Amino acid sequence: MRGPGGWWRQKSTPAKFETYTRCSFHFFGVTEILGVGLPALGSLGPALGAGLLAAVSLHAAVCMLTVSRALDWTRGRRPQPVRLLWTLASLTAVIAVAALGIAERGPSGENVDATAGAVFGVVLVIGAGVMALGVRERRRVYAIVGGFALGAGAVSFPLGAPAPVALLTMGAVFLGGGFLAFTAVFSVWLLDAVYALDEARETRARLAVAEERLRFGRDLHDVMGRNLAVIALKSELAVQLARRGRPEAVEQMIEVQRIAQESQREVRAVVRGYREADLGVELAGAQGVLTAAGIACEVHGETGGLPAEVQSALGWVVRETTTNVLRHGDAGRCSVALRVLEGRAVLTVENDGARESDDESGGSGLVGLRERLQAVDGTLEAGFADAGVFRVVAEVPLTPVTTRTPQTSVPAQATVSEVTS
């Protein structure tokens, strides 16, 4: 069973703010009844006072209804309450004229004049403010407030009010109605802003989930890309050896089994999120795999002394570039050079299997590598060095940096990574 405040706690923050806004404008109606309706009952006598109290109460009820319908309209839940707005305007005019008539032609007495004048002003001010909730254009809000102020002055002269009093009445209605109209417009704007912020927060949460899925997909691609290429290569080699009756086929299949088991372990590490690439292992693996594929591979440089985060970032560059050299399969030479220059580790990977028609910048692999390097303040450049030679240069500072979460950018058409050709 829910407690007394359970209905409130179950509301979202925008819904709570909307409820607060509705109650605030409904309170104007309660204030109208208590502030000018009930005093009229004591000042004007039972008959006339009861009639004016009933009119003020009816006006307050219509104002409350208009507030509810207008706020629903601003939230797109119902059409604009045009007829209700005209009804409120007509009722406001009738009650205001009646109150002014009582003040000028009714029973004599200061209490009668003060009470009728209060009803006249409050009804016009609250009516203008509530009607502003039901329109969007600024010029219409100005028209409502100005129209009520001019109407107050227009009816004052025929009923015998002095010119200064009429002008003062116009100014008071204009200022009071303008203040409530501004409050109404600002409240609607603030309510829309609260809903927009809540939608933005939900969108941000969905984007965070999408970014994490994209990161997981890239990591899985990086892990399985090269391993699957090696498995396919060695499986094809084992088939050829087996057809020739060579015993080396068994060794190749044992290597395939080892790589498959290693892939399983790495996939589990991806799921756990604790996997890092070792640069020394990746360099040795790249040389072995490319050589087995018939591609002359030269590796220069030492990994000793490099920080772990630097080795991990550059290890992913070696893994990705090796994967693409194997995938394209038309390279005859590949060189990998690691140097330390002015406090920065520079990794250069070149291969001669590039084609001029290849897209240098397309592919999610290049995007993923750049994001990994940005997390350690590194940079990545990829492009044609000479005719048919594709070069990838990655630079990472050796000084300790605070690892940042890379900003995920989703390419318009994510394809297989093409860091090298």
Side-chain angles (χ1 to χ4, degrees):
M1 185 176 179
R2 292 185 301 175
W7 68 275
W8 178 259
R9 288 191 295 270
Q10 289 182 349
K11 287 179 174 291
S12 63
T13 300
K16 290 179 180 178
F17 187 80
E18 181 179 352
T19 302
Y20 168 77
T21 303
R22 289 177 183 272
C23 292
S24 299
F25 281 102
H26 288 165
F27 184 72
F28 290 156
V30 177
T31 303
E32 184 179 6
I33 296 174
L34 298 179
V36 298
L38 290 178
L41 186 61
S43 301
L44 303 179
L48 190 59
L52 197 56
L53 173 60
V56 170
S57 300
L58 177 62
H59 184 267
V62 175
C63 285
M64 293 180 184
L65 180 61
T66 304
V67 167
S68 297
R69 298 290 178 84
L71 288 178
D72 287 341
W73 167 66
T74 60
R75 298 307 311 151
R77 299 168 187 157
R78 64 170 67 244
Q80 185 178 15
V82 178
R83 293 183 179 179
L84 190 58
L85 291 175
W86 280 109
T87 301
L88 176 60
S90 303
L91 183 62
T92 301
V94 170
I95 296 176
V97 171
L100 193 59
I102 292 175
E104 297 296 333
R105 301 284 189 263
S108 60
E110 294 183 0
N111 291 337
V112 174
D113 294 342
T115 300
V119 170
F120 175 80
V122 170
V123 166
L124 287 176
V125 168
I126 293 181
V130 171
M131 288 187 63
L133 286 172
V135 295
R136 280 200 177 96
E137 293 82 1
R138 187 178 303 176
R139 58 183 180 84
R140 294 190 176 183
V141 176
Y142 294 154
I144 290 174
V145 176
F148 272 73
L150 291 176
V155 298
S156 298
F157 285 109
L159 293 177
V165 175
L167 292 177
L168 184 62
T169 301
M170 290 176 58
V173 172
F174 181 80
L175 292 178
F179 175 76
L180 282 188
F182 170 79
T183 302
V185 173
F186 180 76
S187 298
V188 171
W189 175 84
L190 193 59
L191 180 62
D192 292 340
V194 170
Y195 272 102
L197 288 175
D198 187 68
E199 293 175 0
R201 182 185 60 81
E202 294 179 357
T203 302
R204 181 179 179 182
R206 289 194 297 267
L207 286 176
V209 173
E211 289 175 359
E212 182 62 19
R213 289 175 177 173
L214 184 62
R215 182 201 64 80
F216 180 82
R218 279 201 309 266
D219 286 356
L220 195 61
H221 164 267
D222 294 341
V223 168
M224 299 302 296
R226 189 195 66 174
N227 289 353
L228 289 177
V230 175
I231 288 174
L233 177 66
K234 288 187 173 293
S235 298
E236 183 179 356
L237 179 59
V239 170
Q240 297 296 331
L241 293 174
R243 287 177 177 174
R244 299 174 186 176
R246 300 282 294 277
E248 291 86 348
V250 177
E251 297 179 0
Q252 295 297 326
M253 291 309 300
I254 292 175
E255 182 68 11
V256 169
Q257 183 183 25
R258 184 192 66 79
I259 297 174
Q261 292 172 349
E262 179 184 352
S263 299
Q264 289 179 332
R265 290 192 298 269
E266 291 187 343
V267 168
R268 296 190 191 100
V270 169
V271 175
R272 290 195 302 269
Y274 297 122
R275 178 179 53 87
E276 290 188 355
D278 183 83
L279 181 56
V281 174
E282 295 299 331
L283 288 173
Q287 186 175 27
V289 169
L290 293 176
T291 301
I295 301 173
C297 181
E298 298 179 358
V299 177
H300 305 281
E302 297 293 335
T303 62
L306 295 180
E309 62 270 18
V310 174
Q311 292 201 37
S312 178
L314 295 180
W316 282 113
V317 177
V318 174
R319 178 184 286 263
E320 181 66 22
T321 53
T322 303
T323 299
N324 285 277
V325 172
L326 288 172
R327 177 176 292 114
H328 293 289
D330 52 1
R333 180 187 61 83
C334 181
S335 64
V336 182
L338 176 64
R339 298 172 296 167
V340 177
L341 301 173
E342 298 179 354
R344 298 179 68 85
V346 182
L347 178 70
T348 304
V349 181
E350 292 184 354
N351 76 91
D352 61 355
R355 296 184 298 271
E356 294 294 340
S357 60
D358 289 333
D359 184 4
E360 299 175 21
S361 60
S364 59
L366 183 59
V367 175
L369 288 180
R370 284 202 172 103
E371 291 176 356
R372 291 183 186 278
L373 293 178
Q374 287 174 0
V376 291
D377 287 349
T379 60
L380 179 73
E381 295 181 2
F384 287 96
D386 297 311
V389 177
F390 196 84
R391 176 184 296 167
V392 176
V393 180
E395 295 188 16
V396 179
L398 299 180
T399 55
V401 295
T402 302
T403 303
R404 304 186 303 271
T405 301
Q407 297 294 324
T408 304
S409 57
V410 183
Q413 189 175 10
T415 60
V416 178
S417 58
E418 296 177 0
V419 177
T420 61
S421 299

